[in-house]
Amino acid sequence: MLLVVAIVATPFLLMYAAAMAPRWINDYRLESLADRAREHPLPPSTTFLTWEPQRPVTGDSGDCWAGFAFRLRTDRPTEEIERYYEAAPFMRTDEHFSELSVSASQVSSDQVSVDVGTTSSGAWDLRCW
């Protein structure tokens, strides 16, 4: 009986994996970008506070929009923090991300939130349609 269930379920599991693979690939690529951001040295006089949840992946016509954010404690001006991360190596476009943007905003007198947004091609990821 168990063998019959396994045989009947296998095609459905394979179809599910085929449909989900583009989503998993895009999520992996975004997590890889976030890891590169985490590994980048912090600006001077700055400490890391928190990592904010990844924004949901959305899109239109096969373009995926996603992003992530993190908070820093710093005595540096917001504009300086933004310029620092704009020049970071992880912000360079590559074969996966055609557009990368960064914005920094003052959260409190000594906290800055850094938001990284991306655009990538997600032709087979249904979230990007």
Side-chain angles (χ1 to χ4, degrees):
M1 177 67 170
L2 189 57
L3 180 61
V4 172
V5 171
I7 291 171
V8 170
T10 299
F12 295 106
L13 291 173
L14 291 173
M15 287 186 333
Y16 175 77
M20 292 299 291
R23 179 184 190 134
W24 296 331
I25 291 167
N26 280 339
D27 288 346
Y28 172 79
R29 288 176 179 161
L30 184 60
E31 187 60 34
S32 176
L33 176 64
D35 287 344
R36 292 193 310 262
R38 278 187 207 109
E39 293 167 2
H40 186 71
L42 293 171
S45 304
T46 301
T47 56
F48 182 82
L49 285 177
T50 61
W51 195 259
E52 297 175 14
Q54 175 184 321
R55 288 192 311 241
V57 175
T58 60
D60 182 28
S61 302
D63 288 333
C64 285
W65 306 316
F68 55 88
F70 52 93
R71 285 192 183 190
L72 304 172
R73 175 168 282 128
T74 185
D75 58 2
R76 303 287 187 181
T78 304
E79 297 80 19
E80 182 180 330
I81 299 295
E82 189 170 307
R83 282 192 309 272
Y84 179 84
Y85 282 104
E86 283 174 344
F90 72 86
M91 289 298 295
R92 294 189 189 110
T93 59
D94 60 20
E95 67 272 8
H96 304 300
F97 300 107
S98 58
E99 297 175 29
L100 290 161
S101 64
V102 66
S103 63
S105 57
Q106 195 78 36
V107 177
S108 67
S109 62
D110 67 342
Q111 291 185 23
V112 172
S113 178
V114 179
D115 184 76
V116 177
T118 69
T119 300
S120 64
S121 174
W124 297 102
D125 187 341
L126 296 178
R127 298 174 296 178
C128 304
W129 290 92

